[in-house]
Amino acid sequence: MASVVVVGAQWGDEGKGKVVDLLTKYADYVVRFQGGNNAGHTLVVDGKQYIFHIIPSGILYQDKVCAIGNGVIVDAQVLLGEMDNLAEKGLAVRPERLLISANAHLIMPYHRMLDQAREGALSSNKKIGTTGRGIGPCYMDKVGRTGLKMGDLLDMALFREKLAASIEEKNFLLTQLYQQPAIDAKAIAADFEKLAERLAPYIGNVSVVLDEARRAGKHILFEGAQGTQLDVDHGTYPFVTSSNTIAGNACTGSGFGPAHIDEVIGIIKAYTTRVGGGPFPTELPEGDAIGDHLQNKGHEFGATTGRRRRCGWFDGVVARDAVRLNGLTGLAVTKLDVLSGLDSLQLASHYQVEGRRFDRMPENILQAALAQPVYESMPGWKEDITAVRSYADLPRKTRDYLQRLEDLSGARPVIVSVGPGREETMLLRNPFEQA
Ligand code: IMP
């Protein structure tokens, strides 16, 4: 029995989808604990393409149970759309295989409208570059104690009452502050009535089910979304998402006790990317030949919004923050093959900010924006490494790079990914077997 948490170590898009897919093979339960359909990953299995924004990709395995914890926020329409897509491909989702916490909050249509209106009203240097999926406004209602939860779908009279209480304020904001059309509570309630009927059989108590699973000796995989530097408390605030993305939230966001977590694996790209606004000390400017190499060879476009990702060198400060904040017991290094062909590689060991050394991301966002990375240079390798399946067969310079990455971060690679395919991966240590 083991419980393993997987989190993004940078600003999201580290290749979690592929690593989660790999580790799911060894798990009995796969659990999401935060975020919503701002996340996204694409998997190709047996020639069929699947895009997941909310359901754990473990649903593709017939013998796994997937759970959506209380820390997740759910766009019910998107969720049902994903279920319909799976059914069309011959994979009907049944309640025995998908459980949604009654305490998970619902993303309402007005959350999406407010998210987009708020972003639209910000000046260009203040824009967070949200995904526009209603994430911030939904979490605001959750913390403000005015949100609607999955469990409310089981009592539509109560749902309508709560909705009516919330909608007055939302309409004031939409019409008066953002010059948007007002929304109609009755129409929303009617839509949700239909959604509720379909979703009711999936709603339950994730905490109880996971506890029973743990006692029965099952393997549980907790799948984080976004990345450490996007954490609402520990990231580059305000250029963050609205949830805690770090490993601690695997417990809070699912109702699982911290003493039962055995391993925490941080997924980290061999370089760095970021989508949306905010500080990114090792960013290479647009038009830079190496930045273009990383962008093109790494196909660095967002899975949810299709936006071009900003690209830069590996950042040891970000990596160390991730090891500390998540208590990482290992790293999954992804996209190592993208670096092949570069003459020399740079890794940031620390920052200088106005003459002061920083070994962590500065808490002050203005200082973070001014951070100058101090680089070490290493020779690159020319070989194509996509066919390599054992650590010892990697070129010497590639192994040296991985060693430096380990030294700078303080955590050892347990998985190394050298290409997008399922098989283009080295599992150096299985966290489920050795926990
Ligand atoms: P939100 O989560 O839509 O509110 O967006 C807030 C910030 O987080 C923006 O900079 C987004 O680009 C970023 N973000 C949200 N979800 C993801 C993700 O899954 N990968 C990478 N960045 C994300």
Side-chain angles (χ1 to χ4, degrees):
M1 179 270 292
S3 300
V4 176
V5 180
V6 162
V7 289
Q10 296 157 317
W11 277 282
D13 307 316
E14 296 93 349
K16 284 183 290 293
K18 182 180 153 173
V19 175
V20 165
D21 177 53
L22 170 82
L23 291 178
T24 295
K25 208 160 55 175
Y26 307 98
D28 302 298
Y29 286 72
V30 187
V31 187
R32 268 199 67 180
F33 54 89
Q34 49 73 226
N37 57 314
N38 45 350
H41 54 255
T42 307
L43 283 180
V44 180
V45 179
D46 298 332
K48 289 184 193 162
Q49 179 171 300
Y50 300 88
I51 300 178
F52 295 96
H53 293 290
I54 186 89
I55 302 179
S57 55
I59 205 77
L60 295 178
Y61 292 81
Q62 288 304 319
D63 57 338
K64 318 285 176 194
V65 177
C66 294
I68 294 177
N70 55 278
V72 178
I73 50 176
V74 180
D75 187 319
Q77 230 148 14
V78 172
L79 173 64
L80 285 169
E82 247 166 54
M83 287 160 77
D84 290 343
N85 272 336
L86 285 163
E88 273 165 31
K89 294 188 166 110
L91 279 167
V93 179
R94 293 182 315 277
E96 306 84 76
R97 296 210 37 238
L98 178 68
L99 174 68
I100 309 165
S101 167
N103 283 333
H105 277 245
L106 286 163
I107 300 180
M108 303 298 290
Y110 46 79
H111 291 140
R112 284 192 299 271
M113 291 169 78
L114 285 169
D115 189 6
Q116 289 161 22
R118 276 197 191 119
E119 269 289 292
L122 291 172
S123 59
S124 62
N125 63 336
K126 296 235 159 53
K127 278 193 200 305
I128 294 164
T130 72
T131 57
R133 304 296 192 264
I135 307 299
C138 181
Y139 277 120
M140 281 169 75
D141 274 356
K142 171 178 174 169
V143 180
R145 295 162 294 185
T146 53
L148 287 145
K149 306 204 277 186
M150 285 301 296
D152 295 329
L153 294 175
L154 302 175
D155 180 348
M156 281 312 283
L158 180 69
F159 181 93
R160 266 189 234 97
E161 206 177 289
K162 283 181 143 190
L163 180 64
S166 185
I167 219 132
E168 202 179 329
E169 180 204 31
K170 299 299 181 296
N171 271 337
F172 178 81
L173 289 174
L174 284 169
T175 59
Q176 303 302 304
L177 192 58
Y178 297 117
Q179 284 77 50
Q180 298 289 315
I183 43 175
D184 175 19
K186 282 208 181 79
I188 294 179
D191 287 345
F192 271 85
E193 206 138 341
K194 287 182 219 130
L195 302 176
E197 235 167 76
R198 289 191 58 195
L199 287 173
Y202 298 88
I203 301 171
N205 190 316
V206 168
S207 172
V208 167
V209 169
L210 293 182
D211 194 51
E212 283 166 4
R214 180 187 67 78
R215 286 169 194 278
K218 303 288 185 195
H219 287 317
I220 306 176
L221 176 64
F222 293 88
E223 171 185 348
Q226 292 87 46
T228 300
Q229 292 291 339
L230 288 171
D231 184 280
V232 67
D233 283 292
H234 301 284
T236 47
Y237 189 92
F239 301 98
V240 293
T241 190
S242 294
S243 64
N244 286 112
T245 57
I246 60 171
N249 201 17
C251 298
T252 319
S254 67
F256 195 74
H260 305 309
I261 301 287
D262 299 289
E263 292 258 6
V264 184
I265 306 299
I267 317 217
I268 195 156
K269 264 183 214 176
Y271 50 96
T272 316
T273 64
R274 172 164 206 172
V275 231
F280 179 0
T282 63
E283 179 173 17
L284 292 159
E286 225 179 309
D288 179 278
I290 296 187
D292 285 350
H293 169 103
L294 299 175
Q295 229 254 318
N296 296 328
K297 197 163 172 200
H299 307 290
E300 296 296 353
F301 293 91
T304 298
T305 58
R307 287 178 294 177
R308 185 186 190 278
R309 294 177 186 145
R310 300 155 66 191
C311 296
W313 291 118
F314 181 81
D315 188 335
V317 177
V318 164
R320 265 196 307 278
D321 275 2
V323 171
R324 184 186 72 254
L325 288 162
N326 297 294
L328 297 183
T329 57
L331 294 176
V333 181
T334 60
K335 293 198 161 182
L336 190 59
D337 55 300
V338 173
L339 296 181
S340 296
L342 293 173
D343 291 330
S344 77
L345 303 168
Q346 314 255 56
L347 303 93
S349 58
H350 60 280
Y351 304 150
Q352 285 289 339
V353 185
E354 295 175 315
R356 208 178 130 203
R357 178 183 170 127
F358 271 83
D359 289 285
R360 57 168 203 280
M361 183 68 76
E363 301 79 52
N364 179 318
I365 192 69
L366 299 175
Q367 287 185 329
L370 291 175
Q372 291 298 318
V374 177
Y375 286 115
E376 303 175 355
S377 193
M378 294 186 78
W381 59 90
K382 296 284 174 222
E383 297 90 331
D384 176 3
I385 58 171
T386 51
V388 178
R389 295 291 172 269
S390 92
Y391 186 83
D393 290 340
L394 284 168
R396 165 98 250 159
K397 287 173 181 162
T398 317
R399 279 184 281 144
D400 288 347
Y401 184 78
L402 283 175
Q403 184 59 53
R404 197 62 201 133
L405 202 145
E406 176 180 338
D407 296 342
L408 285 174
S409 64
R412 174 163 290 189
V414 295
I415 295 170
V416 178
S417 166
V418 290
R422 242 183 192 178
E423 66 297 343
E424 288 166 327
T425 317
M426 285 169 248
L427 183 59
L428 309 178
R429 178 172 76 76
N430 184 341
F432 279 108
E433 279 172 8
Q434 302 192 5

